[in-house]
């Protein structure tokens, strides 16, 4: 009779060793993810050519941040750190593209207050994200406006800079429904009846908005929402829902840049998608 080609005790030892190794690895990855999520946002710089951008406006810089997610684990110090990082960039425009809060103005108004210190040459702007609709969107629109950010609720703003003109538009998040401050996106109101010879940059929380934005000839959409995937398996679900998950992509001829977000939602873990503030530099093509 042939001898067995394995030793049960040895197999048990190897199995236990593999389980311990997997456990230590998971613990290490989780620990790394927690440190990353709670750490300072990384600065990413991206240069994006726009065919319609006047040469006089070449190099216009937009500091872009999303998904700050103020809440129980992220308070005033988180906002202060983000504001200080943005102010060091000396940007022409600041764009906060949604999901600022996870709670009411009564709970988080003090945490959001440092936003009043944001500095830029031509203004700071805000559009709603889906989490604003869970947190009292009417109050937050009024509060953000009070802090000095111009809330682009289905409207656009003419930006005159360096002798050129650019349209900066914003739409409410796709989650919105109803009327007034709680209304959903209205692309026609924000983008219709404008001078098509001007470049237009659209602020929209979800990358998916680009499907409709492309029908209006939007040159560039700045978005967040995805957290860059944040962690497995969330990243897989995001890829099924959104046309661009992180960085620069394109949807039906419209360029879409997605910043990873400066905070987190759910467990304070980020693996493979560091928190981020993006400096978007526009260039005439």
């Amino acid at each position: 009779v042939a001898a067995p080609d394995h030793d049960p005790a040895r197999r048990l030892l190897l199995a236990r060793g593999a389980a311990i190794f997997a456990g230590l690895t998971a613990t290490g990855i989780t620990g790394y993810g927690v440190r990353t999520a709670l750490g300072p946002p990384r600065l990413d710089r991206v240069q994006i050519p726009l065919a319609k951008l006047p040469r006089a406006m070449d190099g216009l810089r937009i500091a872009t941040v999303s998904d700050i997610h103020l809440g129980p684990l992220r308070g005033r110090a988180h906002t202060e750190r983000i504001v200080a990082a943005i102010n060091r960039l000396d940007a022409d425009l600041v764009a906060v593209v949604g999901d600022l809060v996870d709670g009411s103005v009564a709970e988080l108004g003090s945490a959001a207050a440092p936003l009043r210190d944001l500095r830029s040459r031509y203004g700071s702007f805000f559009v709603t994200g889906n989490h604003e609709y869970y947190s009292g969107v009417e109050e937050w629109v009024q509060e953000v406006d009070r802090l000095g950010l111009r809330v682009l609720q289905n409207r656009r703003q003419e930006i005159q800079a360096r002798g050129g003109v650019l349209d900066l538009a914003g739409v409410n998040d796709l989650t919105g429904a109803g009327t007034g401050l709680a209304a959903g996106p209205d692309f026609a109101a924000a983008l219709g009846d404008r001078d098509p010879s001007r470049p237009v940059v659209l602020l929209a929380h979800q990358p998916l908005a680009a499907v409709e934005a492309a029908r209006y000839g939007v040159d560039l959409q700045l978005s967040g929402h995805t957290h860059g995937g944040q962690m497995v398996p969330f990243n897989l679900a995001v890829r099924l829902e959104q046309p661009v998950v992180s960085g620069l992509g394109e949807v039906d001829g419209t360029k879409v840049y997605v910043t990873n977000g400066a905070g987190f939602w759910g467990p304070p873990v980020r693996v493979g998608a560091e928190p981020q503030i993006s400096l978007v530099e526009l260039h005439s093509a």
Side-chain angles (χ1 to χ4, degrees):
V1 177
D5 60 358
H6 64 273
D7 180 346
R10 181 170 178 272
R11 287 187 64 188
L12 180 61
L13 179 64
L14 290 172
R16 286 176 175 171
I20 291 170
F21 177 77
L24 290 173
T25 301
T27 300
I29 290 173
T30 300
Y32 164 79
V34 170
R35 288 194 302 273
T36 300
L38 296 175
R42 181 187 74 193
L43 173 64
D44 272 31
R45 299 172 186 264
V46 58
Q47 297 186 355
I48 302 178
L50 296 183
K52 295 179 184 177
L53 190 74
R55 293 201 175 277
M57 299 181 78
D58 187 83
L60 189 83
R61 303 188 306 162
I62 307 173
T64 306
V65 65
S66 75
D67 301 278
I68 294 172
H69 283 293
L70 297 176
L73 297 179
R74 283 304 209 182
R76 188 182 182 101
H78 180 50
T79 314
E80 289 174 342
R81 180 161 64 179
I82 290 168
V83 168
I86 289 174
N87 287 347
R88 285 194 294 270
L89 299 176
D90 193 29
D92 296 298
L93 298 164
V94 173
V96 182
V97 287
D99 278 12
L100 171 64
V101 293
D102 285 305
S104 67
V105 172
E107 294 167 329
L108 297 173
S110 175
L115 291 174
R116 66 164 58 96
D117 298 323
L118 281 170
R119 295 195 304 269
S120 62
R121 287 183 179 82
Y122 306 110
S124 298
F125 299 86
F126 177 81
V127 291
T128 55
N130 53 307
H131 281 248
E132 273 70 62
Y133 289 88
Y134 314 147
S135 304
V137 66
E138 295 91 347
E139 286 188 336
W140 274 114
V141 166
Q142 294 170 356
E143 181 67 9
V144 169
D145 181 74
R146 190 181 70 81
L147 293 173
L149 283 79
R150 194 163 303 168
V151 184
L152 294 177
Q153 285 217 302
N154 298 325
R155 58 187 292 263
R156 66 180 179 272
Q157 173 74 40
E158 180 182 280
I159 304 296
Q160 297 188 20
R162 308 179 184 181
V165 181
L166 173 147
D167 283 336
L168 184 70
V171 290
N172 294 349
D173 186 63
L174 299 173
T175 303
T179 59
L181 300 182
D186 187 336
F187 292 87
L191 299 164
D193 191 30
R194 66 177 199 86
D195 183 349
S197 69
R198 290 182 185 175
V200 58
V201 175
L202 175 68
L203 309 184
H205 178 62
Q206 297 191 42
L208 186 59
V211 174
E212 184 69 18
R215 298 175 183 169
Y216 289 86
V218 167
D219 299 282
L220 171 66
Q221 178 177 303
L222 301 178
S223 297
H225 184 64
T226 66
H227 299 193
Q230 187 165 328
M231 62 181 184
V232 175
F234 180 67
N235 61 327
L236 303 177
V238 170
R239 291 182 190 281
L240 296 175
E241 183 184 49
Q242 301 292 336
V244 182
V245 174
S246 181
L248 185 61
E250 189 171 304
V251 175
D252 297 334
T254 289
K255 294 180 180 180
V256 181
Y257 178 78
V258 181
T259 187
N260 285 353
F264 57 84
W265 182 76
V269 178
R270 273 182 172 268
V271 177
E274 294 180 55
Q276 185 181 68
I277 293 170
S278 299
L279 186 63
V280 176
E281 189 170 291
L282 305 182
H283 290 281
S284 52

